[in-house]
Amino acid sequence: MSTTAEETNDKSTREVVAEAGRRRTFAVISHPDAGKSTLTEALALHAAAITSAGAVHGKGERRGVTSDWMEMEQARGISITSAALRIDYADRVLNLLDTPGHADFSEDTYRVLSAVDCAVMLLDSAKGLEAQTLKLFDVCRARRMPVITFVNKWDRPGREPLELLDEIEQRIGLRPTPLNWPVGIAGDFRGLLDRASGTYTRFTRTPGGATRAIEETLTPEEAAEAEGEAWTQAVEELELLGEIGADFDVASFMAGESSPVLFGAALPNFGVSQLLRALVDLAPPPSDPVDAAGAGRPIGAPFSGQVFKMQANMDKAHRDRMAFVRVATGRFERGMVLTHAATGRPFATKYTQAVFGSERTTIETAYPGDVIALVNAAALKVGDTLYAGRKVEFPPIPSFAPEHFAVARAVDAGRYKQFQRGIAQLDAEGVVQVLTSDVRGEQAPVLAAVGPLQFDVVSHRMAEEFRAPIELAHLDYTLARHTDAASAPVANSLSGAEVLTRRSDGELLVLVHNKWRLRVIQRDHPELVLEPLLAGGVEQEE
Ligand code: G4P
C-alpha cells in the first residue's frame, strides 16, 4: 500500500524534474529603443506563439489586441510590466519575463531579474552599451547570472563588430564569445556566418517586418561565391577571434564571466532563430533553490515559489492585488491551498492566471521556472514564499540602492487614516521604500525610489485608489548607505546627511547629498559604518 504511494511520489517527482529541465526562464536587458519589444515579438513569432508580430506589446502601426489594455494602463499612469510570455520551442518552454521598458526604471525591473536564470543583453549596433543596460547588467553580475548578448539593428548603419566586442570587454569585463558573425557591414548586412558549422545564412529583407524573414542557408563555398569580399573579410575577422581565444566556453558563461554573442536584426526578424537556438542549447534550466537558512530544496520537492512582483489589478472595478510568483520547486496545481511562510496562514489559489501578452488565461498547472499570477493577493508582499508540504522560506529579494528621495504629506489632513493605509500598502507592494525618523514623524515619511517614475505611480495610486492625494517635496539627497545604531547619532549630526529607518525591515539608512559629500564624511569619520546597500554593488559609479 505504502509502496504504491511512494511509487506515485517517485513518478510525480520525476515528472517535475523533467518539466523543470525543459524550462528556460530569462529576461531581456536593454536601453529603451534598442528593440526589446520588437525582439520579444520576433522571438514569439519564430516560435509561432503568436500569429503576427505586434500582438504582444502593440507598438506603432503594429498595434494589436493589447492596445485597449495599454491605454487603460497609461490612463492610470502605470506601465504594464506584467507580461510573462511563454514560448514553446524545440521541446522547451521558454519563459520570457518582461522588464519595464521606459526610460526611467524602478525596482520592479531589478526584481524581475531575481526571478530569471539567464539574461539576454540586447544592444543597438550603432550605440553599443548604454546607461540602463549597464545598470541592469550590474544586477546580473551581482547574481553571477549567465548573459547572452544580441547585437540588434544590423540592417542599419552601425559600428564595427570588433569594436563592439571590445567595448563589452573593456567596459564591463564580460568576455565576448561570438556564436555567429555578420557578413557585410552594418547597413549593408548580407547574412550571418555560423561559427560552429561554418555555414552561411543569407539575409533577405521582408517588407514591413511583420512576417518572418526568409532564411537561406549556403555552404562556405557558395557563400564565398555569392558575397565575395564581404565574405572574405568576415572569415578573416573570425580567424582573428579564434587566435585571441574568443570561443564559447560553458564554465565561464555559466559563471557570468563570458557571454556568447549573436548578431541580427529583430525588426526584419533576422538572426532571431539563432537566438532561440542559443537559449534552448545554452541557457540553464532552473536549479535547486536555496532557502533563507542556506539549505537547498530539491526541485522535485513539493510546491514552493516566491513572489517577485506585486501589481494593482488592471481592472479598476476590482480593488485587488495580483502577485507574480516564480515556481521554485514542485508542481503547482490550481486550487491548491498553500501556506504563506511569513504568516503561516493558508493561501487558496482558486484564481490563477498565466499572463501571455494581454491575454490572461487561467492556468491549471505550472512547474519550476514558470510564472503564475495569483489574484486576491493583498496579503502577500514582494519576496514572500508560498509552499506546500515541508516549510520553506526563501531569502528576501534584495532592495536596491535608492537614488531619489521625497517627503510625502497628505494634502487633506482629514484623510490621514487613508494616507497611512495607502503608504503602508505601497510599501508592502514594494512600489517605493518608506523611511521614517522621529524628527520627521509619521505624518511625513520619506519615500525612496530607484527611479523617479516610482513617485508618479505613488501619487497616482494615493489619489485614485486610496483617495488620499499627497504632496511630494523632493529632498536633495542622491545616495543612501547602511549604518548601525552606534554610528547613527554622529552621522545624523553631520551636514548633508540624515539617518532614517526603513520601515519594511528596520534597517538604518544614512542619506547623503552626493558622493563628494560621502567621501568627505568617510575621510573625516573613518569610524562610521557606511556600507553600500547591495553587496556586490549595484550602485553606479556613473
Ligand atoms: P524598446 O522596446 O527597446 O524600447 O524598442 P522597440 O522594440 O520599440 O524598438 C525601437 C525602435 O527601433 C522602433 O522604431 C523599432 O522599429 C526599431 N527597431 C527595432 N529593432 C530593429 C532592427 O532590427 N532594425 C531596425 N532598422 N530597426 C529596429 P520606432 O520607429 O521607434 O517605432 P515603430 O513605430 O517602428 O514601432
Side-chain angles (χ1 to χ4, degrees):
M1 218 158 57
S2 71
T3 326
T4 321
E6 265 169 33
E7 273 171 10
T8 322
N9 250 346
D10 271 6
K11 191 162 159 266
S12 110
T13 305
R14 275 202 305 273
E15 185 209 335
V16 170
V17 171
E19 285 293 337
R22 299 205 301 132
R23 266 49 180 188
R24 301 289 181 272
T25 303
F26 70 105
V28 176
I29 60 168
S30 65
H31 196 77
D33 265 359
K36 184 158 64 76
S37 320
T38 312
L39 179 69
T40 304
E41 287 160 12
L43 283 170
L45 182 72
H46 263 276
I50 53 174
T51 47
S52 69
V56 182
H57 288 75
K59 272 231 168 184
E61 287 179 359
R62 289 173 285 128
R63 261 167 182 271
V65 291
T66 57
S67 49
D68 289 351
W69 192 39
M70 292 269 291
E71 263 149 32
M72 193 162 81
E73 290 300 299
Q74 272 157 10
R76 297 199 58 202
I78 304 161
S79 82
I80 65 158
T81 57
S82 53
L85 182 66
R86 175 186 159 130
I87 301 170
D88 287 274
Y89 186 77
D91 197 37
R92 295 280 188 273
V93 178
L94 304 178
N95 290 313
L96 168 51
L97 272 54
D98 194 16
T99 48
H102 35 70
D104 185 18
F105 44 87
S106 63
E107 291 198 48
D108 265 355
T109 319
Y110 294 129
R111 292 189 194 117
V112 168
L113 291 175
S114 72
V116 299
D117 301 312
C118 179
V120 170
M121 180 165 76
L122 175 70
L123 305 180
D124 180 326
S125 65
K127 298 194 173 137
L129 291 166
E130 295 176 89
Q132 186 159 338
T133 317
L134 290 173
K135 276 206 158 190
L136 295 168
F137 174 74
D138 272 340
V139 181
C140 299
R141 173 160 43 205
R143 300 193 58 229
R144 298 172 66 83
M145 196 195 289
V147 174
I148 296 175
T149 305
F150 188 81
V151 185
N152 190 30
K153 305 195 187 182
W154 210 258
D155 58 319
R156 289 211 308 213
R159 288 162 51 184
E160 292 284 329
L162 286 170
E163 183 193 322
L164 284 163
L165 297 194
D166 199 44
E167 178 173 281
I168 296 170
E169 177 128 43
Q170 298 302 325
R171 285 188 68 190
I172 59 178
L174 187 65
R175 192 158 51 79
T177 61
L179 297 180
N180 62 21
W181 197 250
V183 176
I185 55 167
D188 179 27
F189 186 29
R190 311 279 186 84
L192 292 168
L193 196 175
D194 180 63
R195 281 186 83 192
S197 67
T199 54
Y200 177 55
T201 308
R202 185 147 50 171
F203 169 58
T204 310
R205 204 177 272 272
T206 50
T211 45
R212 188 172 161 165
I214 302 156
E215 295 194 356
E216 190 191 353
T217 308
L218 277 67
T219 63
E221 295 72 31
E222 290 165 339
E225 170 94 28
E227 306 299 355
E229 183 53 31
W231 175 262
T232 314
Q233 189 184 337
V235 170
E236 280 170 11
E237 285 170 340
L238 275 187
E239 275 166 9
L240 187 74
L241 285 174
E243 281 164 26
I244 60 169
D247 296 329
F248 175 68
D249 164 56
V250 181
S252 59
F253 164 61
M254 290 300 289
E257 289 160 7
S258 74
S259 174
V261 180
L262 295 128
F263 295 83
L267 186 61
N269 290 318
F270 196 77
V272 174
S273 63
Q274 285 81 349
L275 176 59
L276 274 174
R277 208 57 260 172
L279 283 161
V280 162
D281 294 341
L282 310 179
S287 52
D288 294 345
V290 174
D291 71 12
R297 180 169 171 110
I299 212 151
F303 173 85
S304 66
Q306 187 170 32
V307 178
F308 65 93
K309 178 182 167 56
M310 293 293 299
Q311 184 165 306
N313 201 330
M314 276 66 92
D315 183 351
K316 230 178 174 177
H318 299 93
R319 287 285 163 75
D320 188 20
R321 305 272 175 280
M322 200 143 78
F324 291 84
V325 176
R326 175 185 154 132
V327 181
T329 64
R331 183 177 51 221
F332 173 82
E333 275 166 41
R334 188 166 73 90
M336 275 176 120
V337 177
L338 304 172
T339 307
H340 177 210
T343 58
R345 295 215 181 99
F347 186 93
T349 60
K350 196 165 153 205
Y351 304 103
T352 322
Q353 292 166 340
V355 182
F356 173 87
S358 71
E359 282 168 52
R360 292 192 261 143
T361 49
T362 303
I363 190 167
E364 297 296 334
T365 49
Y367 295 94
D370 288 342
V371 170
I372 52 178
L374 301 173
V375 295
N376 297 329
L380 304 183
K381 293 200 307 298
V382 165
D384 281 0
T385 303
L386 291 165
Y387 66 88
R390 186 171 57 83
K391 182 179 177 180
V392 62
E393 189 153 19
F394 295 117
I397 294 174
S399 57
F400 293 91
E403 293 173 7
H404 303 269
F405 305 89
V407 177
R409 281 192 185 81
V411 171
D412 176 357
R415 304 207 46 89
Y416 181 60
K417 256 200 191 136
Q418 289 82 348
F419 170 82
Q420 286 285 50
R421 200 160 54 80
I423 294 289
Q425 178 62 40
L426 298 178
D427 191 12
E429 280 183 42
V431 176
V432 277
Q433 297 177 33
V434 178
L435 316 177
T436 50
S437 70
D438 291 346
V439 181
R440 291 196 178 269
E442 292 295 311
Q443 287 86 348
V446 172
L447 308 185
V450 173
L453 187 89
Q454 288 171 255
F455 293 140
D456 295 347
V457 175
V458 170
S459 293
H460 187 91
R461 288 188 56 188
M462 288 298 288
E464 292 291 309
E465 205 176 313
F466 300 99
R467 304 265 167 244
I470 55 166
E471 279 170 352
L472 285 174
H474 290 268
L475 294 173
D476 190 19
Y477 298 119
T478 60
L479 49 91
R481 284 283 191 269
H482 271 305
T483 192
D484 62 9
S487 303
V490 181
N492 224 358
S493 70
L494 303 171
S495 86
E498 175 175 351
V499 178
L500 292 142
T501 306
R502 185 158 60 195
R503 266 200 201 159
S504 59
D505 57 8
E507 287 282 346
L508 288 172
L509 304 188
V510 186
L511 309 193
V512 185
H513 280 170
N514 53 42
K515 63 179 180 186
W516 315 114
R517 186 70 208 128
L518 177 69
R519 281 195 195 141
V520 171
I521 295 174
Q522 282 168 325
R523 187 196 61 203
D524 295 347
H525 300 275
E527 75 285 3
L528 293 184
V529 170
L530 295 166
E531 286 166 359
L533 253 58
L534 185 73
V538 167
E539 277 186 9
Q540 282 300 111
E541 272 297 307
E542 101 257 339

